[in-house]
Amino acid sequence: MPGDTVLRAALRSGVSLPYECASGGCGACRVQLKSGEIDDLWPEAPGLPTRSRDRGYRLACQARPRSDCMIAARLPASGGLGPRPRRHRASLSAREDLTHDMAQFSFVIDDAADFLPGQFALLSLPGVTGDRAYSMSNLGNEDGEWRFTIKRMVNGAGGKVLFDGLQVGDEIVLDGPYGMSYLRDSGRRDIVCIAGGSGLSPVLSILAGAARSGHADRKITLYFGGRRPSDLCADLLIARDEQLDARLTRHYAISDPDCAEPWSGERGYIHDIARQHLEREGDPAANDYYFCGPPAMTDAVQRMLLELKVPVSQIFYDRFV
Ligand SMILES: Cc1cc2nc3c(=O)[nH]c(=O)nc-3n(C[C@H](O)[C@H](O)[C@H](O)COP(=O)(O)OP(=O)(O)OC[C@H]3O[C@@H](n4cnc5c(N)ncnc54)[C@H](O)[C@@H]3O)c2cc1C
Ligand code: FES
């Protein structure tokens, strides 16, 4: 379709090009341009070093073909595509503030919202250069609702439009779904989710999906960390989902050692807290793991799980690059 990036065109055609962030940050979608012309949507994207660019590599998520193109890419052995991304006009139907810097935004489209628990969408926001990736916190549904838990970043251009500019009823373009770290429902292993900050968004979707998956004996656990108690908005959202609320074991922790807010729970980084519990319970390799958050947090969780000898095939994550 006109305007498609190489990544989007490939996924829409059923070709499972490798990717992670779809936002220029990770480099997982690197392809070599053999012939043809493309527009590079973000030449300074951190996902591609200048040296690779000079050797003809491009980021498929930031390359928009201007002609027929031939590319060389390494495809994964197995597909695992899920629903193919489509572009929709979406209107903001509700916004709810959750903490001092986090809010829930709901957009509706004129069609079913078709995505898997844990996937994300690209939002094209008025006046903002480049799409922004946000993970859905709800489940796919016939009502066309795509719900996101979004944290406002200091000086963030997308956040400014979302938090200060958009009014209920305003329209944006929503492109999705994307993402490979969705809930693998066939597994019978217990599920452990670990989230930092707005990493809660996809984790809520994964937890809601797991609670409805039919494996009633499967244990579902959430570890959620914030800097202060007032960052920890998970209970408010989980309480609205009776099925999940009844099934979920949860552990919350705060990481700011100087925090003056009253708190009698655990303190420390959430990966350290999770590790203590997992070691105490024994056999960390008996679980599937889903985690999301800023790169420092996801890198630490990944390291921790590998040290605990969890097989890579049981680890699924999105880094909010
Ligand atoms: C897979 C994924 C899922 C995410 N899910 C969530 C979520 O559920 N909730 C949440 O709060 N955050 C999420 N994020 C982070 C989110 O995408 C934004 O990075 C964050 O909100 C800050 O955006 P900003 O526009 O406010 O800040 P900015 O600093 O203005 O922009 C940050 C990001 O925008 C992109 N960007 C910046 N400039 C350009 C450009 N010129 N061209 C193209 N792209 C550009 C880059 O990806 C950059 O990291 C997710 C990120 C990823 C990769
Ligand atoms: S998927 Fe293109 S840079 Fe991450």
Side-chain angles (χ1 to χ4, degrees), residues 41-227:
L41 300 181
W42 192 14
E44 307 81 27
L48 191 67
T50 313
R51 214 173 17 153
S52 304
R53 190 175 293 278
D54 293 345
R55 285 166 47 211
Y57 286 96
R58 294 291 180 269
L59 295 175
C61 71
Q62 301 299 324
R64 187 181 287 158
R66 255 193 284 143
S67 66
D68 286 346
C69 290
M70 191 186 293
I71 57 164
R74 200 164 292 183
L75 299 183
S78 59
L81 276 164
R84 296 181 188 181
R86 289 194 295 146
R87 225 179 271 134
H88 309 269
R89 291 217 70 78
S91 79
L92 180 65
S93 59
R95 167 188 164 169
E96 178 187 5
D97 290 334
L98 300 174
T99 70
H100 71 286
D101 62 358
M102 265 170 50
Q104 189 164 263
F105 294 84
S106 293
F107 291 88
V108 283
I109 62 170
D110 270 347
D111 203 346
D114 189 14
F115 57 84
L116 301 172
Q119 289 196 294
F120 65 91
L122 296 175
L123 305 191
S124 172
L125 299 165
V128 177
T129 308
D131 294 345
R132 297 297 189 263
Y134 293 108
S135 310
M136 284 70 80
S137 62
N138 61 336
L139 294 173
N141 59 87
E142 291 297 317
D143 302 329
E145 187 196 0
W146 303 62
R147 197 184 306 151
F148 308 93
T149 301
I150 298 180
K151 179 171 170 140
R152 181 177 196 152
M153 308 304 283
V154 178
N155 299 326
K160 182 154 182 52
V161 170
L162 280 162
F163 282 80
D164 298 340
L166 282 192
Q167 305 294 325
V168 168
D170 286 350
E171 285 200 342
I172 62 158
V173 175
L174 181 157
D175 178 13
Y178 290 89
M180 303 303 290
S181 91
Y182 51 82
L183 176 66
R184 269 56 173 181
D185 216 6
S186 52
R188 296 283 160 86
R189 285 181 284 273
D190 289 345
I191 289 187
V192 174
C193 289
I194 308 172
S198 56
L200 184 64
S201 200
V203 156
L204 280 174
S205 177
I206 288 167
L207 292 168
R212 288 162 176 77
S213 70
H215 307 293
D217 52 342
R218 188 160 70 174
K219 190 175 168 199
I220 309 172
T221 305
L222 167 66
Y223 293 90
F224 178 47
R227 296 195 64 223

